[in-house]
Amino acid sequence: MTNEFDFIARLRALATDPAARGLNDDAAVLEIGGQLLVVTHDMMIEGVHWLQGQDMADVAWKLVAVNLSDLAAKGARPIGIIVGQTIPDEEERFLSGLRDALRAFNVPLLGGDTVSAGQGRTALGLTALGSSVSGIVPGRDGAQPGDLLYITGPVGAAMMGFEALQAGTEDNSLAFRRPMPLLAEGAALAPHVSAMMDVSDGLLLDAWRLATTSGVTLAIDTAEVPLGAPEERRDDALRWGDDYQLLFTASPTAELPARAIPIGTVEEGEPPLLVDGIAIFEPEGLGYRH
Amino acid sequence: MTNEFDFIARLRALATDPAARGLNDDAAVLEIGGQLLVVTHDMMIEGVHWLQGQDMADVAWKLVAVNLSDLAAKGARPIGIIVGQTIPDEEERFLSGLRDALRAFNVPLLGGDTVSAGQGRTALGLTALGSSVSGIVPGRDGAQPGDLLYITGPVGAAMMGFEALQAGTEDNSLAFRRPMPLLAEGAALAPHVSAMMDVSDGLLLDAWRLATTSGVTLAIDTAEVPLGAPEERRDDALRWGDDYQLLFTASPTAELPARAIPIGTVEEGEPPLLVDGIAIFEPEGLGYRH
């Protein structure tokens, strides 16, 4: 089994269509009848994306939230979702969490495919459809030298929540169990940014992806990154995902309509990342795979 | 674990939106900018939907074909596909089959999500987007008493192909390994039918679904069903899926623009099926789960 980066690069080579931005990205963008449609698809696998034995209501919520977060990063309003799943063991809880998420985000369930898992682990997939609010859909490829790098809020809260959950207490685990997609923020920011994505796999790893897709260097001052974890966990928090903040670049003169903290600058050329002045060329060790 | 029918019924209860036809169906239909967009999502799991050790190129082809078949049943032209997958063990073959299918069906790959499976079985998901060719999108709920029931071609060829494959020969296994979605036929038929779906899980099981969704009885004369298998396997062929023929109802006066064989009639009320005069109320035993 090769690593994920290689596989995605080879998958991308199959996509001859210029619309195939979704392979550099978390979402595909299509123009249909004069509207910009944004389509995302994320999968979650038992034991990989959630702890065995975790409340399936939280898993269902997260399945919805992570896809809506991809829409948020495109400045899109959700139109609806389509779920695909093996029948989860705790279907009662799964349906309960799905109901919570549909209500919380006011998004209709449009369809679904349910398959038997046999004796295998539960696998979940979700497709979310959205429409661009402003008609401007940011990609990951637009960061320009001279821009500033911003994040909408703290990272590390989900990490602390995960650890609380693993330790067997429900204390402070909400940020991990029930993440909130920043839909309003994404829609407001979209016309003002040069590139945007959500932080799902770790700030440094996702920044590396944005940098390589844009062909620029992101110089990050980690001391500026707001934390949802104790200061001594800063290094871990920079590598943990699941907080679903928006990471974006914008001109220093842009007037931003949502709260965002500048954490670095965009520079020309290589390496993809300068983290506190240290050049980083490879993505290994920048994010957690969980 | 409850059965699939119960789970889907309960999932459906979450969908308050009238657009949620996708839960009675294999596809969701949305109006966007004056166009009818059709969205399908199917999952496939190793050991459930394909034999362990089967050529991943064939599996990739089938993943694409089964979703395009759902578009065919809606009379929709493919716009593009988005794949979600754990990294398959034989990624080279998977990518090769995916490339074959993209070319054969002239459909662009728009995006994808690749996740690590850990030590688990490979799980695949695919979302296909299409646009209605005629502006008329058949559902499963429109069959009317007095209509005739039709199928576009033989069933059982995929069953024979599966058995050839299991027996270790590649002879005649093409129908199972590389099914063809009937896109042209579906697009031509859509304005002329009262209800339509593709036969993915077995003719009798899928007919039972169409009947219950429409609230009618389908009286099927099984001797009229064309076979892609020896006559002595007729009973099995009626219960095997994977041939991806289109099953539809239409008025006896409809002039059909594609080849179709009448195999029964639509009658009022219960039971959902009358198979050679025998009333069938429950779906158990009507289709193979494979």
Side-chain angles (χ1 to χ4, degrees):
Chain A
M1 190 182 286
T2 51
N3 78 45
E4 185 178 329
F5 296 103
D6 287 349
F7 183 74
I8 293 173
R10 301 181 58 208
L11 193 62
R12 197 174 296 154
L14 293 186
T16 52
D17 194 272
R21 187 159 81 174
L23 291 164
N24 288 313
D25 220 310
D26 287 326
V29 182
L30 292 167
E31 190 178 335
I32 297 193
Q35 283 193 46
L36 286 177
L37 184 76
V38 181
V39 188
T40 76
H41 178 67
D42 276 327
M43 291 185 82
M44 289 172 59
I45 310 285
E46 183 179 0
V48 179
H49 296 86
W50 72 89
L51 297 171
Q52 222 141 6
Q54 201 183 322
D55 184 352
M56 285 306 289
D58 291 335
V59 174
W61 173 286
K62 195 158 185 171
L63 180 68
V64 176
V66 299
N67 275 280
L68 296 189
S69 178
D70 288 334
L71 294 185
K74 297 284 164 229
R77 178 191 298 120
I79 295 172
I81 63 169
I82 298 164
V83 290
Q85 72 265 308
T86 56
I87 301 175
D89 275 344
E90 295 183 57
E91 67 170 72
E92 194 72 51
R93 296 298 299 157
F94 181 82
L95 290 166
S96 158
L98 189 57
R99 185 185 301 112
D100 289 351
L102 294 173
R103 284 183 187 157
F105 307 129
N106 191 28
V107 56
L109 177 62
L110 299 174
D113 178 43
T114 299
V115 300
S116 162
Q119 297 306 308
R121 293 188 292 181
T122 300
L124 306 170
L126 193 137
T127 297
L129 301 168
S131 63
S132 167
V133 173
S134 63
I136 296 169
V137 178
R140 293 181 178 183
D141 56 356
Q144 299 292 329
D147 286 349
L148 296 179
L149 178 68
Y150 293 90
I151 194 163
T152 49
V155 296
M159 173 183 78
M160 299 308 292
F162 175 81
E163 292 176 2
L165 194 66
Q166 235 182 356
T169 162
E170 295 275 306
D171 288 0
N172 296 316
S173 68
L174 204 65
F176 175 75
R177 294 187 296 107
R178 303 253 166 162
M180 296 294 291
L182 300 179
L183 288 159
E185 292 83 347
L189 286 166
H192 302 277
V193 305
S194 51
M196 185 155 67
M197 65 185 298
D198 67 330
V199 179
S200 55
D201 292 336
L203 171 59
L204 295 184
L205 178 58
D206 287 327
W208 186 90
R209 290 169 174 155
L210 194 150
T212 53
T213 310
S214 289
V216 297
T217 296
L218 295 178
I220 301 176
D221 182 355
T222 62
E224 299 301 321
V225 177
L227 285 192
E231 179 58 36
E232 66 267 25
R233 301 296 307 281
R234 180 173 290 273
D235 275 2
D236 298 328
L238 295 171
R239 288 166 174 78
W240 239 89
D242 282 341
D243 286 301
Y244 303 99
Q245 297 295 340
L246 300 174
L247 179 71
F248 67 91
T249 55
S251 157
T253 61
E255 292 189 25
L256 300 176
R259 172 176 173 252
I261 300 96
I263 60 170
T265 57
V266 184
E267 301 179 6
E268 263 186 69
E270 299 243 308
L273 293 189
L274 275 173
V275 178
D276 300 330
I278 296 165
I280 294 180
F281 288 88
E282 297 298 330
E284 279 71 34
L286 295 182
Y288 276 140
R289 317 252 109 232
H290 46 83
Chain B
M1 191 182 291
T2 52
N3 78 45
E4 186 178 327
F5 296 104
D6 288 349
F7 182 74
I8 293 173
R10 302 180 58 209
L11 194 60
R12 197 174 295 154
L14 292 187
T16 52
D17 193 272
R21 188 160 80 173
L23 290 163
N24 287 314
D25 220 309
D26 287 326
V29 183
L30 291 168
E31 190 178 334
I32 297 196
Q35 283 193 45
L36 285 177
L37 184 76
V38 181
V39 188
T40 77
H41 178 67
D42 276 327
M43 290 185 83
M44 290 172 58
I45 310 285
E46 184 179 1
V48 179
H49 296 85
W50 71 90
L51 299 171
Q52 225 140 3
Q54 202 183 323
D55 183 352
M56 286 305 289
D58 291 336
V59 173
W61 173 286
K62 195 158 186 170
L63 180 69
V64 176
V66 300
N67 275 280
L68 296 189
S69 179
D70 289 334
L71 294 185
K74 296 286 164 228
R77 178 192 298 122
I79 295 172
I81 63 169
I82 299 164
V83 290
Q85 72 264 308
T86 56
I87 300 176
D89 274 343
E90 297 183 56
E91 69 168 73
E92 193 73 49
R93 296 296 301 156
F94 181 82
L95 290 166
S96 159
L98 188 58
R99 185 184 302 113
D100 289 350
L102 295 173
R103 284 183 188 159
F105 308 128
N106 191 27
V107 55
L109 177 63
L110 300 173
D113 179 41
T114 299
V115 300
S116 163
Q119 297 306 308
R121 294 189 292 181
T122 300
L124 305 170
L126 193 137
T127 297
L129 301 169
S131 63
S132 167
V133 173
S134 63
I136 296 169
V137 178
R140 295 180 177 183
D141 56 356
Q144 298 293 328
D147 286 348
L148 296 178
L149 178 68
Y150 293 90
I151 194 161
T152 49
V155 296
M159 174 183 77
M160 299 307 291
F162 175 81
E163 293 176 1
L165 194 66
Q166 236 182 356
T169 162
E170 296 273 307
D171 288 359
N172 297 316
S173 66
L174 204 66
F176 175 74
R177 292 187 297 107
R178 301 254 168 160
M180 295 294 292
L182 300 178
L183 288 160
E185 292 83 348
L189 287 166
H192 303 277
V193 305
S194 51
M196 187 155 66
M197 66 186 297
D198 66 332
V199 179
S200 55
D201 292 336
L203 171 58
L204 296 184
L205 178 57
D206 287 327
W208 186 90
R209 289 170 175 157
L210 194 149
T212 52
T213 310
S214 288
V216 296
T217 296
L218 295 178
I220 301 177
D221 182 354
T222 63
E224 299 300 321
V225 176
L227 284 193
E231 179 58 37
E232 66 266 24
R233 303 295 307 281
R234 181 172 291 273
D235 275 4
D236 298 327
L238 295 170
R239 289 167 172 79
W240 239 90
D242 281 341
D243 287 300
Y244 303 99
Q245 298 295 340
L246 299 174
L247 179 72
F248 66 91
T249 56
S251 159
T253 62
E255 292 189 24
L256 300 176
R259 170 176 175 253
I261 300 97
I263 60 169
T265 56
V266 184
E267 302 178 7
E268 265 186 69
E270 299 243 306
L273 293 190
L274 275 173
V275 178
D276 300 330
I278 297 166
I280 294 180
F281 289 88
E282 296 298 331
E284 278 72 33
L286 295 182
Y288 277 140
R289 318 251 109 233
H290 47 84

